[in-house]
Structure formats: structure tokens, C-alpha cells
Amino acid sequence: MMETVQGYLEQGQRIALDWITSPAAYAQFGLLVAAFLIAVGVSRYLSPILKRLLDPGENETVFARARRFALMFLPLLLPLLAYAFIGAGEQITRSIFGSGAVIAFGKRLFIFLAVRVLVQRIFYDPFLKTFGRYVMIPMAALYAVGLLDPVQNWLGETVVGVGDIRFSLLSLVRAAVVGSILFWLGRWSSDQGTGFIRSQEEMRPPTRELAAKTFEMVVYGAVFLLLINVLGLDLSALALLGGAIGVGLGFGLQKIASNFISGVILLLEGQITVGDFVELDGGEAGRIIKLGARATILETFDGKWIMVPNEDFITARVVNWSDAGSGNRYEAEFSVSYETDINLIPAIVEKAVAAHPGVLSEPEPPDCELRGFGDSGVDFSVEFWVEGIDDGKNKYTSDVLFLIWNALKTHGIEIPFPQRELRLRDQNALVMAKPENG
């Protein structure tokens, strides 16, 4: 390897000496500088014009998004114009001097600059930035100095083995690069496709989730098959892998398989979906924010996320407080003084609670009931129906109690508080009577 590197260094020295002593090289350097300066001037003139033409403003149409996407590539204008002008200069130098090595190097150099601009100023996805920084820029640098082909040849000739299987380093590098790109494209396609499916409001929520999960599995399955094809592996070899997976399912992956199948059943039945508030026997309760292949994520009202295996929704009892088309009944308890005419209480309280915008008149209007005679007052309770959960952003019981308090205060009705009467007996007032017969 060191001898090879030394040979390339000596070859570079000879090329540099040839360029320094050659009039054609100076002419080509001059053309490079002239092409670059022309490209700078043209890009400064065209950039504002293109920016005005491509800027869609606040529009969010498909055409506007396409224009905004094209506007992202405006920083590539300078290196691409320089590459185009240098290409024209290459034809001139080859026709005059019969050589264009310096011009060819300049073209490769501006390709390297274009890749650098692409990675640093255009890529915003973390994966693309990492891929560009550690793969695209080094490859472009090797191409610029003319070492890309020798490095590829060396990687292709270096063979590593694992048992009876042997791979070249080039095939491993190609598999890593192509596999990364394919799975990123698969993830991006899956996100775009599932986002579009979930935006179709005319579809039922369970149907949307099932279609989104099906699309996601199809995309990743296609990516896997493409990667196998790129690597040149025989698909019949997957039979052994399938057998190994079957054994794994039999021993250690039962829960994963069970949760996956349970997730499919939940999507097919449609009994729960994203946005529902559910409560399980185990005490887990929250709003469903994601139905995954292995687990369902619940978000509690205090912002915590709970991952619940899908199997629990099949094998345990689940209360769905957000079942479409049905309301929930709640109660608010209160007390009044014993001096109150309790016959007036139901009408006053029912009218006050019915004024709440979230309280339903169907299936039943508010119903105030006498519950008992307590130590400090007469106990009542009002039952009311609402469409939603009495927590989080909806504080129905709290609102109803405020309404009851204000209504009772308006009618001069006292709300009692706990109180006790203490009676003290005077010991001196006790007189012991003597028997008449002494």
C-alpha cells in the first residue's frame, strides 16, 4: 500500500512539473480563472431573478411546494455555471494545444465544490448530512484528484472472508452505501405515503391506520428485496433465514409475534384508534397517539407517554371512553343546609347545569337527585352527560360545581360546612336525691 501511495506521489510531482513548464497549462489555468469569474458574474445577476421567480410566498399548493423545493438548489448555481463554462473552455484548449488535463482537473474540482455546497447548504435531513459528510464529500475529493478509480480497484482486490463466505471490501462498502440510501428512501417514502393516507378524512380512522401500516410494510419489503438484488444474493438462500426466524419465533420471539398479530387485529376490528382515550385493567390510561407494530403509545393528561403491548388490548378488558357516537355520564355531589326548602333544589340545579355548553340533553338531561341526610346538611348529586373525558382540557365536573355554587348563591341557599355542637354539663347542678326511707 505504501509503495502504491509513493508511486502516486511521484506521478503527481511529474504532472505538476509538466504543468509548470508547459505554455498550454498556463493557458488552461487562465481559462479556468476566466470561466470562474464569468460564472461569478452571471450567478450574481441570475440569482435575484431566479429567487423572485421561484419564491412562492405563503402559498401551500403543490406547484408552490415544487417551486420552494427548486429554490433550495439555488446555491448550486455558481459551481454548475463554472463547470459549464469550463467545459466550453476545454473544447477550445484541446483544439489549440491538443491537451486539456488542467481543464479536466478544474471540472472535477467544481464537481467537488458542488457536492460540498449540496451537503452543507441544501441537505437538512440528519441522515443525508451525515451521509454526505462521510461518503459523498470524500468520494468527490478522490474523484477531483484522480484517485477514485485506483481506490475502487484496491477495494475490489481486497477480499475478506467469514467462514466459507468471501466478500471484497468494495462489495461491503457498496452494500453499506446502497443499503443506507435505500432504507432512507424507504423511510421517506413511508412517511410521505402514510402522511397522505392519514390526511384522507373521508376514510374511517381504523381504515386509515390499517392502510398506512400496510403501505409501510410494502415499502420496507420492497426496499429489502432491492437490497438483496443489489448485493447479488440468491433469494433461495432466504429459505434458511426463514427457518431460523421460525425457530426464533418458537423460542424467544413469541411476544413480538403475538404483539404484531394483535396490532393487525386491532386495526382490522377498528374498536380503538388514534385519538381515543382508553383505560386498561392494569391501570394504564391515556389518549392513543400511535398504533405501532409492536406496541401502542398512550399519552396521559400530564404529558407522560406509556408504551402498552398490543397484546394487552386483546387479552385484557379495555374501557374506551371515546367510542364514537356515545357520551359519558358524570356526577357532581353537593350539600345544602337543613333550613333549605329541598323541594326547590332539583329545578334550580338542573337548569344551571343544562346551561353548560358541553352538557348534553341526550340521552338524558341533567338529573338532580336526593342522596341522603348527612351530618352537616342534605346531600344531593346531579348526573349529567357530556361528549368527552372529564380531565385534561375538559374540566366538566369543575365547571358544573361552579355553576351549582353560583346558582345556589343567587337563590340565597346556604351550602353547609362541617360543624359540631358541644354541650357542657355543670357538675355543681347535680343533686343526689336521698331515699325516702333513709
Side-chain angles (χ1 to χ4, degrees):
M1 181 66 182
M2 295 301 299
E3 293 178 355
T4 304
V5 173
Q6 185 177 359
Y8 284 122
L9 290 176
E10 293 176 355
Q11 183 180 356
Q13 291 178 355
R14 290 195 300 268
I15 293 174
L17 289 174
D18 292 339
W19 285 359
I20 293 174
T21 58
S22 172
Y26 287 107
Q28 294 178 58
F29 277 120
L31 286 174
L32 279 177
V33 174
F36 177 73
L37 294 177
I38 295 173
V40 170
V42 174
S43 64
R44 288 182 177 178
Y45 174 75
L46 290 179
S47 293
I49 298 175
L50 293 176
K51 188 174 182 179
R52 287 195 300 269
L53 291 175
L54 295 176
D55 190 3
E58 300 296 330
N59 295 330
E60 292 297 335
T61 62
V62 176
F63 183 65
R65 289 195 292 268
R67 291 167 60 188
R68 191 175 291 112
F69 179 76
L71 186 61
M72 293 170 51
F73 294 90
L74 192 59
L76 289 175
L77 181 62
L78 175 59
L80 293 180
L81 284 175
Y83 180 86
F85 293 148
I86 289 172
E90 183 180 14
Q91 300 298 324
I92 297 175
T93 56
R94 290 190 182 277
S95 62
I96 297 176
F97 300 102
S99 173
V102 178
I103 290 291
F105 171 75
K107 291 173 62 178
R108 297 195 301 268
L109 179 62
F110 280 107
I111 289 178
F112 167 76
L113 294 178
V115 172
R116 189 169 176 270
V117 170
L118 185 68
V119 173
Q120 294 184 348
R121 301 182 58 183
I122 298 176
F123 286 168
Y124 61 90
D125 184 84
F127 169 79
L128 289 181
K129 274 193 170 296
T130 303
F131 180 80
R133 186 178 299 115
Y134 295 105
V135 178
M136 295 178 62
I137 290 180
M139 289 180 62
L142 291 174
Y143 176 72
V145 298
L147 294 179
L148 183 59
D149 291 337
V151 171
Q152 285 183 340
N153 294 333
W154 178 78
L155 291 175
E157 294 171 357
T158 305
V159 179
V160 295
V162 180
D164 295 333
I165 304 176
R166 302 181 68 81
F167 296 98
S168 66
L169 289 179
L170 182 61
S171 63
L172 294 178
V173 172
R174 184 185 295 116
V177 172
V178 175
S180 300
I181 295 175
L182 285 177
F183 275 98
W184 179 83
L185 287 174
R187 188 196 66 181
W188 181 83
S189 302
S190 175
D191 292 342
Q192 298 297 317
T194 54
F196 175 77
I197 293 173
R198 291 191 175 103
S199 65
Q200 306 304 308
E201 297 294 338
E202 63 273 8
M203 298 173 61
R204 295 178 61 249
T207 305
R208 291 201 302 266
E209 289 298 320
L210 180 60
K213 292 299 178 184
T214 303
F215 179 80
E216 187 176 357
M217 289 187 290
V218 169
V219 168
Y220 281 110
V223 167
F224 177 74
L225 293 178
L226 284 174
L227 181 59
I228 293 296
N229 189 25
V230 169
L231 296 178
L233 298 179
D234 187 4
L235 293 179
S236 62
L238 295 179
L240 180 61
L241 179 61
I245 292 176
V247 173
L249 290 175
F251 285 98
L253 303 179
Q254 303 100 322
K255 285 293 184 181
I256 295 178
S258 175
N259 288 322
F260 178 78
I261 296 173
S262 299
V264 174
I265 293 174
L266 290 175
L267 292 174
L268 289 174
E269 289 184 347
Q271 298 299 323
I272 62 172
T273 186
V274 174
D276 288 353
F277 188 91
V278 296
E279 182 178 356
L280 282 74
D281 275 349
E284 300 88 352
R287 191 173 303 279
I288 298 176
I289 61 174
K290 183 178 181 181
L291 286 170
R294 186 190 64 84
T296 297
I297 299 179
L298 307 181
E299 183 179 19
T300 63
F301 285 121
D302 55 2
K304 297 177 181 177
W305 282 18
I306 305 176
M307 295 185 64
V308 182
N310 291 330
E311 184 183 12
D312 292 354
F313 289 91
I314 301 297
T315 59
R317 186 176 62 180
V318 180
V319 178
N320 188 351
W321 292 89
S322 303
D323 190 16
S326 65
N328 298 317
R329 192 187 72 174
Y330 296 97
E331 295 184 5
E333 298 179 351
F334 64 97
S335 300
V336 298
S337 172
Y338 275 104
E339 298 178 358
T340 305
D341 184 0
I342 61 175
N343 297 294
L344 303 177
I345 298 300
I348 294 173
V349 171
E350 290 172 1
K351 180 180 179 181
V353 174
H356 191 283
V359 174
L360 305 176
S361 59
E362 296 291 340
E364 293 179 2
D367 181 23
C368 184
E369 300 177 353
L370 176 64
R371 290 298 173 88
F373 302 99
D375 295 336
S376 302
V378 183
D379 298 330
F380 283 87
S381 177
V382 59
E383 299 174 347
F384 58 95
W385 287 78
V386 295
E387 188 73 49
I389 308 300
D390 185 25
D391 205 344
K393 63 180 180 180
N394 300 318
K395 304 291 186 180
Y396 295 115
T397 302
S398 175
D399 295 343
V400 167
L401 289 175
F402 271 107
L403 292 173
I404 294 173
W405 173 276
N406 294 328
L408 295 180
K409 287 295 183 181
T410 300
H411 289 81
I413 298 174
E414 179 184 355
I415 298 177
F417 54 88
Q419 50 189 313
R420 297 288 185 272
E421 290 186 2
L422 298 178
R423 296 186 179 183
L424 300 178
R425 301 179 63 185
D426 188 358
Q427 296 293 333
N428 297 325
L430 296 176
V431 178
M432 299 181 64
K434 294 183 178 180
E436 292 182 357
N437 298 329

